[in-house]
Amino acid sequence: MQISRTVAPNISWARLRPHIVGWAFISPWLVSFSFLMVYPFIASFVLSFTRYQLIGEAEFIGFENIQRMLFEDERVADALRVTFTYVLLTVPAGTAISILVAVLLNQSVRGIPFFRTSFYMPSVIGGVGLALLWTTILAKNGPINAALGLVGIEGPNWLFETAWALPSLALKAIATAGAAMLIILAALQGVPQHLYEAVDLDGGGEWAKFWHVTLPQISPAIFYNVIVTTIGVMQSFVEAFIMTNGGPGTATLFYGLYLYRQAFEFYRMGYASALAWMMFLIILALTIINFRVARFWVYYEGEE
Amino acid sequence: MASKVSRRSFLKVSGSVVAGAAVAGCVAPAAPTAMDSAEPSSERVALRFLNKWGSGVRRELMNGFLDTWAEENPNIGIIFEPVADFDRRMPILVAAGEWGDIMLFFDLQLSAFHEIATDLTPYFEASGTPFPGQEGSELIRIPNHVGYEPGKVKAVPFQLNIVMTGINKDLFREAGVPMPWEHDHNGDKWWDWHDYREAACAINDLGEDIIGSNFSVGNIEQDGLVNWSVANGGQLIDVENKKGSWNTPEFIEGQQFAVDMICQDGCMMNVDDYQGLGQALGIYPWAAGVQGIASRGSGYWVSRSEADLTQVAWVRSPNTGQSAGLGSMHFHIVTTQSQHPAEAFEFITYLANFENQKNIALSGTAEPVNAGVWQDTDYQATWGSPEAVEAYLDALDNFIFTPQLPGVLEWFGEIKILWGDVLRCEASVEEQVVIVDQKTDEILAAHA
């Protein structure tokens, strides 16, 4: 016997069931998304207008945090300067090197799986472990300085000299760009062979193939990497937290680290929330700019 | 036999579980109700105890304390939860409402979080125990505005850190310099800062891999450095007026002496250089001062057991004759969430008793907060000489606490950056003290 469960004249149980089943299946994600993403997102926005020190009530202070952040706190300017410099040091160089390595790893030579694994391996190691490893590599008595010593060069104290600390962190970031390399390698393998044959017919050489075929064809993958890497680098934290603690002075004071200090060392959660929102807006602006500029250099199949 | 579950039943159950979990996550824990009585209950209770002594020698000590407690107090169970990365995680636990019954804080943390601490005054009164530092108390003084307000106590001290000088006696002998207690300044055998410099430079000359002196890079990097000025009569902050106080002759003279050792003599490493090298060699310079590099061991107390190291009081300023500097303290509090504050109070006072504090002192992991231990002959026997004992006791009597003002945590963060320029020999002491004072005034005003 079939039981009709009519809730309303036009809404039958049979029609509702797929929706309910669907919602039930996504509910674990929905709950965690709501509580772990949406709620903190809204809460941090509200907190950015308050003075809140982890315990007790948050006190509404209007735009005081924003005023301090924009006009009074010179460390915000330091942190932004360091972070943007880091982006400029790592994103272009990291992208160029990951393209170069991907092109090399796309060749058919003996032992290529070993080289691919070797270049990708650093990306698999966790952030903290990698940071500790590089702390040892870049130590005053570490292997880099030992190697320099063999050719008569006295290496600096990489992580603790103002001039070298940020470039050292950038070196670490560039040398561990395996994930970007992998994406570009995948894109390289999707470049149609007939395009290269067309260049051959036109009498073009290897450079012409790379410049007129390879680069345009992999430009969406490069664009994706630029976007993701820029966002990731803007949010850098672990390197400075583990390797230099922001020093010497403010030489590696990343914005993320400064935000963390305000929140969990100085217990100024309201101010830290305001800083977080400014970071969000900066990243949003950068991403929009990247998309606008992409029109001029990213090629999609089927476009004119 | 496995029973078949229909899809509908599965969906019902999973839906209920998800909804239940969501509701459970939203419901606030039941509000704790502090017991009216200051006397411990006779029923069996269990207390959550959050402390950082979770590894190495400290963990062994803590296990011993807990074992003895369990034997003597079968009705008061302690659930010990060691908190790794304590300085950073404690605030997160506070924010998350994960307070347990008993928490350990260092003074500046407690200054920020004192609202979650139960007023222990009734428990002190009920047990007939004087407040810490007061006449008849076996516990040493604790800083104002932290666990201690006029007529009110909110914390029991557990661990003291006063800036000390760790010396490697092997290297002193090798360099042929007198030990700190082997000098003679008109009958006073304790060394002053000129003797310190002489020793540091002589040790420095022993070889490229030996560093004569460094200063503390512990929780508060400048502990070791500002000690030169504090022992010389300078103030870290003018607490009374809530203003900067570095631009004074006493403070500048102390700083200039230390900075000259870095920038002119090269006998003391600046904090950045030492960090790079220290990490390479596995050195953790908790105690400040002349500490020739012992390439064995990874921590001060480990080095102490493997090299001929001794911890002695700070050097004297030749101007004031003082060898006292800064001190910081860790406290146990009973949280306002605890439903068994009387039992918790009993446990935290047990941790500060003579026997336990003597064990802590003899292990070399911290200075004791029990005043009786300072007079203990076993402990004094570890200090090297009668002159060292005298200097140690002088340091204890006269050390000053880090100022417990709102904003001091931020101030320390800023000072590390500003003074770093001086330590890297990129700015002069006299110019930078003016900038430090301006910044101090700004920060303290913002937090007022």
Side-chain angles (χ1 to χ4, degrees), chain A residues 51-159:
Chain A
R51 182 180 292 122
Y52 175 53
Q53 297 190 310
L54 284 176
I55 54 169
E57 296 293 316
E59 177 196 351
F60 181 76
I61 54 167
F63 292 95
E64 211 174 283
N65 284 331
I66 293 156
Q67 184 188 336
R68 174 182 150 90
M69 180 175 72
L70 295 179
F71 306 112
E72 294 163 14
D73 187 350
E74 63 199 84
R75 294 290 164 241
V76 172
D78 288 333
L80 283 173
R81 179 181 45 77
V82 168
T83 308
F84 281 124
T85 309
Y86 191 56
V87 169
L88 290 174
L89 285 174
T90 54
V91 176
T95 306
I97 286 173
S98 51
I99 294 170
L100 180 70
V101 174
V103 168
L104 290 174
L105 293 178
N106 198 33
Q107 310 303 312
S108 5
V109 290
R110 189 186 292 269
I112 202 72
F114 168 77
F115 292 114
R116 285 178 183 168
T117 309
S118 304
F119 279 102
Y120 187 64
M121 192 70 85
S123 310
V124 180
I125 303 171
V128 173
L130 205 59
L132 289 172
L133 181 68
W134 274 85
T135 305
T136 309
I137 292 171
L138 292 164
K140 173 80 175 162
N141 293 347
I144 288 185
N145 279 354
L148 289 174
L150 293 176
V151 290
I153 299 171
E154 191 187 344
N157 195 350
W158 297 96
L159 294 172

Side-chain angles (χ1 to χ4, degrees), chain A residues 5 13 17 21 24-25 27-28 31 35 51-57 68 72-75 78 135 139-142 157 159-162 241-245 247-250 253 258 260-269, chain B residues 7-8 10-11 14-15 18 22 26 85 87-88 91-92 94-95 99 106 108-109 112-116 221 270-277 279-281 409-414 416-418 420-421 424 426 439 442 446-447:
Chain A
R5 297 192 186 195
W13 169 245
R17 208 171 72 164
V21 169
F25 270 107
S27 58
V31 169
F35 285 94
R51 182 180 292 122
Y52 175 53
Q53 297 190 310
L54 284 176
I55 54 169
E57 296 293 316
R68 174 182 150 90
E72 294 163 14
D73 187 350
E74 63 199 84
R75 294 290 164 241
D78 288 333
T135 305
K140 173 80 175 162
N141 293 347
N157 195 350
L159 294 172
F160 298 99
E161 281 183 25
T162 310
F241 185 66
I242 301 289
M243 297 169 72
T244 59
N245 199 21
T250 56
L253 183 65
Y258 186 61
Y260 171 86
R261 280 187 182 167
Q262 288 293 337
F264 295 107
E265 290 182 11
F266 310 152
Y267 315 136
R268 302 180 71 154
M269 300 304 283
Chain B
R7 196 171 66 150
R8 179 173 296 171
F10 168 75
L11 287 175
S14 57
V18 169
C26 297
D85 199 11
D87 292 356
R88 297 188 169 98
I92 295 170
V94 169
W99 304 348
F106 65 81
L108 293 177
Q109 279 180 333
F113 301 137
H114 65 91
E115 283 176 43
I116 72 164
E221 287 181 36
N270 78 35
V271 67
D272 297 322
D273 286 345
Y274 185 74
Q275 274 188 4
L277 200 56
Q279 283 174 11
L281 295 174
L409 279 166
E410 184 174 355
W411 179 78
F412 268 115
E414 194 57 42
K416 280 180 196 177
I417 293 172
L418 290 176
D421 292 344
R424 285 189 298 276
E426 292 165 359
K439 184 54 84 175
E442 271 174 38
H447 284 265

Side-chain angles (χ1 to χ4, degrees), chain B residues 152-165:
Chain B
K152 199 187 268 190
V153 179
K154 296 180 89 175
V156 173
F158 173 63
Q159 159 189 347
L160 173 68
N161 293 98
I162 56 178
V163 176
M164 292 289 182
T165 313

Side-chain angles (χ1 to χ4, degrees), chain B residues 201 284 438:
Chain B
C201 291
Y284 183 63
Q438 281 169 357

